[in-house]
Amino acid sequence: MLTPATRVLVVMGGWSAEREVSLASGAAVVECLTQAGHPVLGFDLAPGDSHGDAVRRLLEAAVTFKPDAVYLALHGPMGEDGTMQGLLELAGLPYNGSRVAASAIGMDKVLAKQVFVANKITTPRYNLVPLGSAAAHAPLPLPVVVKPRSLGSSIGVSLVEKSEEFAPALALAFAQGQDAVVEQYISGRELQACVVDGEALPLIEVTTTNRFYDYEAKYTAGKSEHKVPAPLPKKQYEAAQRLAVSAYRSLGCEGAARVELIAEATGTLYVIEVNTLPGMTVTSLLPEAAREAGWSFLDLIHRELAGAIRRHGRGPAAPQGGDKS
């Protein structure tokens, strides 16, 4: 049970290109829990350490600090992709967010799309381009979005509208050391649907003056506008929330997740991807949606930690399938 005496180990940093975002998320969580009186230890998975040394330090910190729960503020590979979740499962430590399978599938854009398609959840068409391929032309009609297979925060992502932009976009995605996903570009309104324990929070519509909702637009104040609740017709608003929950359930997600959707002018809704460890920075969408739902930042963290403790010791969640209605 979560109490003021609950000891929390906050893990942040890591080795991915999303390290700086993770540090900002972790610092915000540490500050909030400390102000609330919880015994808290912030732990930075420093990039200078080998993976083995970092794991040893983390486990030593856990043995010394004796946390009741771990708050994962990690983003990207080696933190959000099931690897850290597997380590904590072996260590017997409760942690926020989805478990190993859902984390791994959610981080892999190709596997996630395969699950969406199998569950009749509408998602843009895509093609996989293996790392190092010398593809000169996009495998889908332009415009397309080119992105690394397993990374978030729009790092390495490009919108390609002209044929000569494709090769540089592919090189940018490959620079992250991953396969590239070439995805059909869907023109429409960008919606963010946060889901906590299977409950959809108020929708957010994101607009930006940039070409698309890229890294700069996400993390630079004034570069994007968040409209919450999203100004949509009631029927479409509720359909978007249902679709987000269906995507969440199809992957077997738990705790908090953020589902990115596009609402086409025709009214068709597309699921782009699911983020299984949403950001907790000052510009992040999950805390904003939670505020609109009447939750403070501390309420949100407490809900995540209470869920982690409640789920501890139970078997892995099974995907529940999408809503076919």
Side-chain angles (χ1 to χ4, degrees):
M1 183 172 66
L2 189 69
T3 71
T6 298
R7 303 171 67 82
V8 185
L9 174 62
V10 181
V11 184
M12 66 189 91
W15 303 277
S16 86
E18 297 183 74
R19 172 176 168 79
E20 294 305 317
V21 179
S22 171
L23 289 173
S25 289
V29 172
V30 168
E31 181 181 9
C32 182
L33 288 173
T34 300
Q35 289 180 352
H38 288 280
V40 183
L41 175 64
F43 186 91
D44 179 6
L45 284 174
D49 288 350
S50 70
H51 291 180
D53 287 342
V55 167
R56 279 192 290 274
R57 286 196 309 110
L58 176 59
L59 293 178
E60 287 168 1
V63 169
T64 302
F65 182 65
K66 296 181 174 58
D68 298 300
V70 175
Y71 191 98
L72 291 176
L74 295 167
H75 305 309
M78 304 302 291
E80 193 176 351
D81 61 358
T83 50
M84 185 57 61
Q85 289 77 7
L87 175 66
L88 296 178
E89 292 281 355
L90 288 171
L93 293 170
Y95 57 91
N96 61 303
S98 297
R99 280 178 277 190
V100 177
S103 298
I105 296 170
M107 194 75 214
D108 188 315
K109 294 175 174 60
V110 173
L111 294 181
K113 280 181 172 292
Q114 290 172 349
V115 172
F116 297 152
V117 171
N119 284 278
K120 296 182 172 56
I121 293 170
T122 307
T123 191
R125 291 187 297 142
Y126 71 98
N127 275 82
L128 176 68
V129 181
L131 177 64
S133 296
H137 304 287
L140 294 172
L142 298 181
V144 296
V145 177
V146 180
K147 57 183 76 174
R149 179 172 181 165
S150 299
L151 201 59
S153 293
S154 294
I155 294 171
V157 177
S158 303
L159 171 59
V160 175
E161 298 175 293
K162 302 175 183 177
S163 58
E164 60 267 27
E165 295 174 340
F166 180 70
L170 197 60
L172 181 62
F174 285 163
Q176 304 303 321
Q178 301 180 13
D179 298 336
V181 175
V182 179
E183 183 180 74
Q184 171 193 13
Y185 173 70
I186 304 296
S187 177
R189 301 169 71 174
E190 175 144 352
L191 307 175
Q192 301 288 340
C194 297
V195 180
V196 178
D197 295 332
E199 175 188 350
L201 301 187
L203 289 179
I204 299 175
E205 180 180 6
V206 176
T207 60
T208 178
T209 55
N210 290 12
R211 288 182 72 195
F212 65 99
Y213 191 43
D214 57 10
Y215 185 93
E216 181 189 47
K218 286 181 177 179
Y219 300 112
T220 305
K223 287 291 185 178
S224 64
E225 182 182 356
H226 301 171
K227 300 175 183 178
V228 54
L232 297 172
K234 184 174 185 291
K235 185 175 180 180
Q236 187 180 38
Y237 187 100
E238 293 174 348
Q241 286 185 310
R242 288 196 302 271
L243 183 61
V245 172
S246 293
Y248 173 101
R249 289 177 174 167
S250 73
L251 299 184
C253 293
E254 295 175 273
R258 177 173 52 76
V259 183
E260 181 180 338
L261 307 106
I262 298 291
E264 212 173 26
T266 60
T268 302
L269 294 163
Y270 292 82
V271 171
I272 306 300
E273 58 187 66
V274 176
N275 184 314
T276 56
L277 280 180
M280 297 288 278
T281 72
V282 294
T283 59
S284 292
L285 295 152
L286 173 60
E288 190 169 12
R291 282 196 301 273
E292 184 66 19
W295 306 351
S296 68
F297 193 56
L298 180 61
D299 290 337
L300 173 60
I301 296 169
H302 275 173
R303 283 174 183 259
E304 292 189 81
L305 291 172
I309 293 169
R310 183 175 64 250
R311 293 188 298 270
H312 183 56
R314 295 189 344 208
Q320 299 175 43
D323 183 354
K324 306 304 191 300
S325 61

